[in-house]
Amino acid sequence: MSAQRDECVRRDAADPLSSLREEFVLPDGVIYLAGNSLGALPRSVPGRVGDVLEKEWGQGLVGSWNAAGWWEAPRRIGARVASLVGAEPAEVVVGDGTSANLFKAVVAGMRLRPDRRAVVGERGNFPTDLYITDGASELLGVEHRRVDPTVEGITSALAEGDVGAVLLSHVDYRTGTLRDMRALTALVQEHDAVMIWDLCHSVGAVPLELSRCNVDFAVGCTYKYLNAGPGAPAFTYVATRHHGTARQPLTGWHGHAAPFSAADAYHPAPGASAFLSGSQPIVADAALEASLEVWEQVDQSALRAKSLALTDIFIEGARAAGFEVLTPLDHAHRGSQVALRHPHAYPIVRALAARGIVGDFREPDVLRFGFAALYLRHVDAYDAASVLGEVVRSEEWREERFQARSTVT
Ligand SMILES: *Cc1c(COP(=O)(O)O)cnc(C)c1O
C-alpha cells in the first residue's frame, strides 16, 4: 500500500464528517462518483415514503391534504432548502422541475424589465437552460444573447445594451468551474438587469449565500447533491424585494392567494409561493423532505473543505495517469466535480464502471466525476484515480463491450 493511500486512510479516520456515510445506501464494491447526476439513496427515505403511501394516502386519504401537511409541503420543504442556500424561508418553494422553473424565472425576470429586449444566456450551458431560454425569449419576442460565461463575455453582452435578465450556471455542469456569484451578480445589476442563477451543480456542493449576494432569482435541482431521488421536485428562490411584483407565466391555482375561493381572477400568493402552479408530487416531496434531514448535522464549510480535498486527491492521480484536467486547479474556481478530457472518454467511463467506479460521460470527450463529500471517503478518491490509471495503462477500455452507447451516458 502506498504512503499516499495510507495518508488518505488516516484522513478518513480523522474526518469529522465520516459518520454521515452511514446515512446512505451505497452498494458494495462501488465507488460512486455520479452523485452530481443522481445522488445516493438516504436511509431515511424509504421509511418516510412508505408512511406517506400506507398511512397518509392509504388511511388518511383526501384528508391528508390538511392533516398530513401535504398542502404546505412546497413551503415547508422550501424553508429547509432556504436554510441551505442562505435565503429567508418565504423566499424558496419546492415544486415542478428545474426546466419548468427556469422558464418561470426567465419570464418573470424579463417582465421586471419590460423595456429591455434581450436575455443573456451562456454558451455551452446545460442544454435545457439554453432551450428553455430560447422558448421563453421566443414567447416574449426578445433576443436570446448567448455569451461566454466569463467576466469579459458578460461585460460585453451588457455593454451591447438592452439586457433585461441574465441566466448563468453557478457551477458549469461539464467542467465543474465555479463562478463568482457575488461579483457577477453585482456586474449584472450595475446594468440594471436581473440576475438568475442555476444552482443545479452547486446546491449541496458548495456553500451558498443568495441573500448576501443579492441574487434576484435562482433555480436548482434536488436529485443531485441533495439526494432526493430521480426526478425529484426542484426549487425556486425569489428575492423578497420581488415578492408581489414578479410575475411568472404559469399562473395555476397553487400559486393563487386564495386557491379555494373559486375566484375567476388570478391573484398571486405571497412570497415565493406565487411561483407554484398546480398540484405537487407529494410522494416525491416526502423523499425530498427526508433527504434534507441529514443537512442538519452538516457544517457546510467543513463539507466544502472535504470536497476540495477529495477533488485534489483525484486530480493529482488523474494527472499522474496522463489526463488533461478541465476543472480549475484553483480552489476558488472549482465546484465539487472533476472533468477530464480524453479522446476515448466514453469507453474509459464504461470500463471504469465495470470495475465499480461510477462516473459519467459528457459530449464530446469529457469524463465527469462528481464528489459528494457527504458519503465519499478520501480513500475512495485515491482508489478511483488508481483504477483510472490502470484502465488507461492496460487499455482494457478497448474491449468491444465498452464501445456501445447507452441512451443515458
Ligand atoms: C441537471 C441540470 C438540469 C436539469 O433539469 P431538469 O429539468 O431537472 O431535467 C438543468 N440545468 C442544469 C445546469 C443542470 O445541471
Side-chain angles (χ1 to χ4, degrees):
M1 227 185 269
S2 77
Q4 283 159 305
R5 192 175 192 282
D6 289 345
E7 170 62 13
C8 289
V9 171
R10 197 194 57 72
R11 290 173 83 170
D12 286 324
D15 175 11
L17 301 171
S18 64
S19 64
L20 297 172
R21 180 176 171 84
E22 302 305 320
E23 310 279 339
F24 294 88
V25 174
L26 294 162
D28 288 337
V30 167
I31 297 179
Y32 191 62
L33 305 181
N36 57 338
S37 182
L38 176 66
L41 171 65
R43 291 194 189 278
S44 56
V45 165
R48 175 77 189 116
V49 168
D51 281 351
V52 169
L53 294 174
E54 289 169 23
K55 296 184 187 154
E56 297 180 10
W57 179 17
Q59 302 300 314
L61 291 166
V62 74
S64 285
W65 280 105
N66 289 315
W70 290 355
W71 187 269
E72 283 305 314
R75 282 165 288 275
R76 185 177 68 242
I77 305 169
R80 280 201 145 170
V81 173
S83 70
L84 286 179
V85 300
E88 296 299 321
E91 291 181 317
V92 181
V93 277
V94 302
D96 301 330
T98 307
S99 299
N101 291 337
L102 284 169
F103 183 78
K104 296 181 205 181
V106 169
V107 172
M110 287 302 290
R111 282 175 167 175
L112 287 172
R113 298 290 181 273
D115 53 324
R116 306 286 177 91
R117 309 310 309 158
V119 51
V120 170
E122 64 175 271
R123 221 172 260 148
N125 201 353
F126 189 89
T128 214
D129 297 59
L130 293 169
Y131 307 159
I132 288 285
T133 307
D134 275 342
S137 42
E138 189 181 333
L139 188 85
L140 295 165
V142 302
E143 174 197 355
H144 177 191
R145 196 175 290 164
R146 295 161 194 235
V147 301
D148 289 334
T150 57
V151 171
E152 301 73 48
I154 293 155
T155 303
S156 70
L158 291 164
E160 262 185 69
D162 228 10
V163 175
V166 177
L167 168 63
L168 297 175
S169 282
H170 187 213
V171 173
D172 184 292
Y173 83 104
R174 202 187 267 121
T175 65
T177 304
L178 171 67
R179 278 76 185 247
D180 186 337
M181 178 178 282
R182 189 188 298 261
L184 290 172
T185 301
L187 173 65
V188 165
Q189 291 171 346
E190 272 163 32
H191 291 75
D192 195 32
V194 170
M195 185 71 228
I196 307 165
W197 284 103
D198 182 320
L199 307 178
C200 284
H201 284 273
S202 61
V203 65
V206 299
L208 290 166
E209 295 186 317
L210 298 186
S211 299
R212 278 206 211 150
C213 293
N214 200 41
V215 172
D216 292 293
F217 299 94
V219 172
C221 19
T222 64
Y223 52 78
K224 292 173 180 165
Y225 293 96
L226 296 184
N227 314 300
F235 65 89
T236 302
Y237 156 89
V238 183
T240 301
R241 63 185 174 281
H242 299 312
H243 293 182
T245 44
R247 289 184 310 118
Q248 62 96 352
L250 301 177
T251 47
W253 70 301
H254 278 242
H256 194 281
F260 290 95
S261 67
D264 280 354
Y266 176 80
H267 294 289
S273 286
F275 277 61
L276 292 171
S277 295
S279 299
Q280 293 302 311
I282 296 301
V283 181
D285 277 352
L288 168 57
E289 191 162 25
S291 74
L292 293 174
E293 280 165 17
V294 71
W295 292 94
E296 279 164 22
Q297 313 169 43
V298 177
D299 168 357
Q300 291 215 47
S301 57
L303 192 75
R304 172 67 173 156
K306 182 176 175 186
S307 149
L308 289 169
L310 297 176
T311 50
D312 276 344
I313 293 165
F314 187 79
I315 286 173
E316 190 186 328
R319 291 175 97 189
F323 279 88
E324 177 189 349
V325 179
L326 291 178
T327 303
L329 300 180
D330 174 4
H331 285 175
H333 298 126
R334 190 193 303 164
S336 196
Q337 73 171 57
V338 177
L340 308 175
R341 180 181 275 153
H342 194 284
H344 302 292
Y346 185 77
I348 294 173
V349 166
R350 300 310 315 150
L352 282 170
R355 297 261 223 128
I357 314 294
V358 181
D360 60 19
F361 165 81
R362 287 295 176 266
E363 291 286 356
D365 54 4
V366 176
L367 300 91
R368 201 175 66 146
F369 303 94
F371 288 83
L374 281 183
Y375 50 78
L376 290 172
R377 299 167 297 202
H378 298 80
V379 75
D380 294 326
Y382 182 85
D383 288 346
S386 307
V387 176
L388 179 68
E390 285 167 24
V391 163
V392 171
R393 274 192 302 280
S394 67
E395 299 200 0
E396 64 199 63
W397 55 266
R398 290 193 188 274
E399 288 176 38
E400 191 55 38
R401 63 188 173 126
F402 299 137
Q403 314 304 316
R405 295 272 173 114
S406 314
T407 310
V408 177
T409 58

